[in-house]
Amino acid sequence: MSVIKQMDEKLANMIAAGEVVERPASIIKELVENSIDAQATIIDVYIKDIGIKEIKVVDNGIGLSKEDAKMAFLRHATSKITKESDLTRINTLGFRGEALAAILSVSKVTLKSRQKNNDGHFVKYVDSKIIDEGVASLNEGTEIIINDLFYNTPARLKYLKTEYSERNALINTFDKIALSNPNIKFSLTIDDKLVKQTLGNNDYYSLISQIYGTNLLKDIKEFEEEFSNIKIKGYLISPHFTRSNKNDITLFVNNRYVRNYNLTEAIIKGYSEFLMTNRFPLAIIFIEMDPYLTDVNIHPQKLTVKLSNESLLSYKLETTIKKILLTKDFKIAENIDIVDKTILKDEKYIKESLDFIYNDQQGTSNKDITFNEQKIPDMEYIGNLASTYLMFQNEKGLYLIDQHAAEERVNYEHYLNSIENFELVELNLLIPKELNITNKDKSFIKENENIFNQFKFYFDDNLNLLTQPNLILENDLDDTIIKMISLIENNEDFDFKVLLNELAKSISCKASIKANYKLSLLEVQSLLERLRQAKNPYTCPHGRPTIIHLTHYQIERMFKRVV
Ligand code: ADP
Ligand code: MG
């Protein structure tokens, strides 16, 4: 007797649902993408109780006929693909024809729709069966209501994360879709409160402000690049605004929001010099390329994309971002302030607040402070605070410079410069130097000796050092070797430049004046001059600010002289 049976349709749909409908946010994505495919120009999303109780998406698109309203819920029902060759050149957002069937199998669904010059109709499903249908009154377009999500799959319900993270995922999904469609008017309402709204006026700067808040607008660098038929357009948000995760590094390939590990890492690397460890930038990058070179179907939610020329693209992205961040001026960091990402001040809807950003108070003189001609303004030294911070003043207020961070920046750029323009020369040591390292490190060196040799480190049989590269001071040899080991260990594609950059960072840190050391006036002046000449004087190589500005207005506010 045969034990193999074909799965029934409902079970198959539930399994597919596991892939497509992982959490409430994935439903929003599928429904809104369908509305976009239906040429909607206004899309409103309503959510109750993180989407478990209800998700409603209302659009003004072309609608579905009465027959199609039922067809649409069958597995592999799609109006978007008819033959295999369509698969490679797909321009719509959906095409697996799976989403509605999958959603139906894990929730109760009502669909209302009205096409042009037709009456409206509705159909209501429970347990994947029609329980009611008939005439409905609504505007042209479609309204889909999902109730009681996962009511029949309690295990899935249990695996949902906390309310906070589900809500964040919802808002994030909404953000990405809204950002990729500046011509569509979106709104998001959670528990009867309007959380976000975009204008759909095709103005990207206004869109960014509707999604992230107006503060960001002051410091966005826009760029466009083209190479081998690939177009990159990017909006780089100043590294003064950072996040604790990678969620706001947004990538679109052919206008579709995608995730791609390598490209995301490339963006982070592009920013790395400006960021503290474990802080991540906000950036929006659009890539346009031949759809033949992309494959989005490797992921059931069409989220991950594979590109055929990923490494070249990653390299281009990283270097372009680096170049732009270094050449264009970002302003001096103002005092630290917290701004929410939503129009509502309600705690519940606030995504993680932005770290370290400009004060947005009207009337402060922030807007005047651009140092296009001169990165650091003329100012008078008025003393030091705790032998650590140098204080300056001018007509625009008070400036504090962290002497260690500033010196680190200056030294870092100096080392980087000499590393870039220097030829690595091998120096013989008079007596073989015994390294202060563990046996484990020694065997690691033995296995990777060729890499060390490339850097002009040669060893004798006992792994004592015979030669060293000219750039490293003798006192730094142990540290350098240890740093190299950890870099090589953590990085399969070990890169010369990365090591040199890391070395420059650690050497410059060690060589810099520490805090709690009182500088002479001459030293202060020399430090300020060298900082003025730095390419990026505003942060140390680890991304911490070197200089902070407090305006007169801000000081007066602190003393309540003004309100
Ligand atoms: P896919 O989007 O992959 O085609 P779906 O299951 O998401 O599959 O949708 C099935 C079909 O239902 C779509 O191909 C489309 O014809 C129709 N449809 C879904 N949502 C809408 C909508 N909001 N407006 C008009 N048609 C829709
Ligand atoms: Mg779809």
Side-chain angles (χ1 to χ4, degrees):
M1 197 185 68
S2 160
V3 286
I4 301 175
K5 294 195 189 75
Q6 196 167 13
M7 258 189 254
D8 73 26
E9 190 66 15
K10 194 174 163 204
L11 186 60
N13 283 339
M14 280 174 88
I15 291 171
E19 296 175 354
V20 185
V21 193
E22 196 180 35
R23 61 201 302 192
S26 19
I27 295 197
I28 308 272
K29 175 177 186 292
E30 294 295 339
L31 296 183
V32 174
E33 287 191 344
N34 280 347
S35 298
I36 295 170
D37 283 344
Q39 293 147 42
T41 54
I42 304 176
I43 301 173
D44 298 308
V45 180
Y46 302 86
I47 287 157
K48 286 211 168 112
D49 187 18
I50 60 163
I52 300 300
K53 202 157 159 197
E54 184 169 302
I55 294 173
K56 181 164 87 174
V57 174
V58 183
D59 72 49
N60 68 345
I62 55 172
L64 295 102
S65 71
K66 222 162 134 180
E67 301 70 46
D68 279 350
K70 294 180 201 166
M71 275 296 285
F73 289 98
L74 300 177
R75 191 147 187 234
H76 304 307
T78 174
S79 57
K80 298 165 197 171
I81 181 166
T82 46
K83 47 185 194 310
E84 232 175 86
S85 62
D86 287 347
L87 268 176
T88 43
R89 273 210 172 262
I90 210 82
N91 290 316
T92 67
L93 295 168
F95 55 87
R96 293 163 59 110
E98 243 173 13
L100 289 184
I103 293 169
L104 185 68
S105 73
V106 289
S107 66
K108 302 167 185 170
V109 179
T110 307
L111 182 143
K112 299 180 191 173
S113 195
R114 189 159 85 81
Q115 290 187 307
K116 207 171 176 174
N117 306 324
N118 268 315
D119 287 336
H121 52 86
F122 80 95
V123 50
K124 192 169 180 164
Y125 287 89
V126 172
D127 285 338
S128 302
K129 286 192 238 21
I130 297 178
I131 58 154
D132 199 4
E133 61 184 310
V135 180
S137 93
L138 74 159
N139 292 330
E140 215 178 294
T142 303
E143 180 177 322
I144 296 196
I145 309 166
I146 311 298
N147 289 113
D148 302 333
L149 180 61
F150 300 139
Y151 75 102
N152 53 353
T153 52
R156 178 92 24 94
L157 201 57
K158 224 171 71 190
Y159 278 110
L160 286 184
K161 308 227 172 78
T162 60
E163 202 180 313
Y164 173 82
S165 78
E166 291 302 329
R167 187 175 292 113
N168 251 355
L170 284 168
I171 296 179
N172 228 351
T173 303
F174 177 88
D175 286 356
K176 305 299 183 202
I177 300 177
L179 282 172
S180 58
N181 294 281
N183 53 341
I184 297 179
K185 208 172 150 177
F186 290 96
S187 76
L188 173 66
T189 305
I190 303 181
D191 295 331
D192 297 321
K193 291 196 185 92
L194 179 66
V195 174
K196 284 191 188 194
Q197 200 169 25
T198 72
L199 300 176
N201 60 357
N202 246 326
D203 174 18
Y204 213 75
Y205 282 88
S206 96
L207 182 57
I208 292 177
S209 78
Q210 285 136 20
I211 297 296
Y212 291 117
T214 44
N215 279 27
L216 250 74
L217 285 184
K218 289 192 209 151
D219 250 346
I220 294 181
K221 310 288 174 223
E222 194 182 333
F223 73 90
E224 272 181 66
E225 274 276 319
E226 204 174 335
F227 66 97
S228 31
N229 285 330
I230 300 179
K231 272 196 204 140
I232 313 181
K233 186 180 169 91
Y235 296 87
L236 304 178
I237 284 136
S238 151
H240 294 131
F241 301 83
T242 64
R243 291 233 184 268
S244 63
N245 58 47
K246 303 177 190 173
N247 280 346
D248 287 301
I249 301 171
T250 306
L251 260 180
F252 297 104
V253 173
N254 295 341
N255 244 18
R256 181 200 299 273
Y257 166 61
V258 294
R259 288 192 211 139
N260 179 297
Y261 179 80
N262 292 331
L263 296 185
T264 305
E265 288 305 305
I267 296 169
I268 297 172
K269 274 195 211 150
Y271 266 94
S272 62
E273 204 190 302
F274 296 86
L275 295 176
M276 279 197 252
T277 3
N278 292 326
R279 297 300 303 181
F280 300 94
L282 291 91
I284 304 162
I285 307 287
F286 292 88
I287 294 166
E288 257 179 69
M289 58 195 291
D290 188 337
Y292 274 121
L293 301 175
T294 70
D295 183 4
V296 285
N297 257 351
I298 54 173
H299 188 281
Q301 295 169 32
K302 302 175 243 102
L303 268 177
T304 317
V305 68
K306 223 167 59 188
L307 305 175
S308 39
N309 35 12
E310 224 163 89
S311 48
L312 175 63
L313 197 56
S314 300
Y315 177 75
K316 273 272 173 195
L317 251 182
E318 180 190 334
T319 47
T320 308
I321 291 176
K322 245 191 198 130
K323 193 177 74 201
I324 287 169
L325 293 183
L326 277 176
T327 49
K328 303 215 181 167
D329 280 348
F330 281 110
K331 293 177 235 161
I332 291 181
E334 298 297 325
N335 61 344
I336 295 159
D337 202 1
I338 303 286
V339 175
D340 62 71
K341 255 189 88 171
T342 58
I343 5 180
L344 269 190
K345 294 281 176 212
D346 195 330
E347 275 274 313
K348 245 166 102 177
Y349 305 113
I350 298 176
K351 272 185 79 167
E352 184 214 355
S353 52
L354 289 165
D355 186 23
F356 195 57
I357 62 173
Y358 305 133
N359 189 347
D360 196 28
Q361 293 298 328
Q362 283 297 317
T364 56
S365 52
N366 298 355
K367 289 178 204 76
D368 319 332
I369 314 171
T370 36
F371 299 103
N372 284 330
E373 328 73 60
Q374 201 180 5
K375 287 178 177 170
I376 307 254
D378 285 328
M379 47 197 194
E380 176 198 2
Y381 179 58
I382 49 174
N384 76 76
L385 183 65
S387 300
T388 301
Y389 307 103
L390 309 174
M391 298 191 290
F392 299 85
Q393 69 169 356
N394 67 12
E395 71 288 353
K396 290 188 172 141
L398 175 71
Y399 298 80
L400 292 170
I401 289 186
D402 178 327
Q403 63 188 42
H404 175 66
E407 176 106 11
E408 228 181 310
R409 158 57 59 187
V410 170
N411 286 340
Y412 170 65
E413 289 196 9
H414 169 77
Y415 277 113
L416 212 55
N417 236 336
S418 51
I419 283 170
E420 269 165 13
N421 305 319
F422 233 73
E423 206 188 328
L424 217 50
V425 177
E426 136 192 354
L427 299 179
N428 289 319
L429 295 170
L430 284 178
I431 328 162
K433 182 183 156 59
E434 196 185 335
L435 290 168
N436 201 358
I437 55 176
T438 63
N439 284 338
K440 195 164 147 255
D441 290 339
K442 283 191 180 160
S443 48
F444 184 86
I445 293 177
K446 197 113 210 124
E447 279 163 37
N448 297 280
E449 211 168 334
N450 59 332
I451 303 181
F452 288 89
N453 293 165
Q454 288 169 27
F455 282 91
K456 314 296 178 199
F457 288 112
Y458 286 87
F459 304 89
D460 67 13
D461 290 343
N462 299 322
L463 289 173
N464 294 321
L465 209 51
L466 295 174
T467 69
Q468 70 154 95
N470 52 340
L471 273 182
I472 313 286
L473 298 176
E474 201 174 333
N475 278 345
D476 291 332
L477 283 174
D478 286 315
D479 281 354
T480 307
I481 296 277
I482 288 167
K483 185 112 216 160
M484 269 183 85
I485 293 174
S486 88
L487 274 172
I488 302 168
E489 259 178 344
N490 292 320
N491 193 349
E492 285 169 29
D493 309 319
F494 179 73
D495 179 353
F496 244 59
K497 266 199 297 194
V498 178
L499 174 71
L500 291 178
N501 193 1
E502 282 301 314
L503 285 181
K505 275 189 201 176
S506 75
I507 299 171
S508 59
C509 179
K510 290 185 73 201
S512 305
I513 331 153
K514 296 286 175 263
N516 294 316
Y517 168 79
K518 195 166 172 202
L519 299 183
S520 71
L521 190 57
L522 211 65
E523 286 171 312
V524 171
Q525 276 160 355
S526 134
L527 177 59
L528 189 64
E529 252 345 283
R530 286 180 292 144
L531 189 62
R532 279 218 167 94
Q533 275 147 30
K535 275 198 213 143
N536 167 31
Y538 308 130
T539 52
C540 80
H542 309 98
R544 285 190 297 274
T546 52
I547 173 165
I548 291 209
H549 176 209
L550 276 174
T551 63
H552 284 304
Y553 180 82
Q554 286 162 344
I555 295 169
E556 281 171 0
R557 268 194 356 149
M558 288 183 222
F559 285 107
K560 307 265 184 252
R561 284 166 166 263
V562 291
V563 279

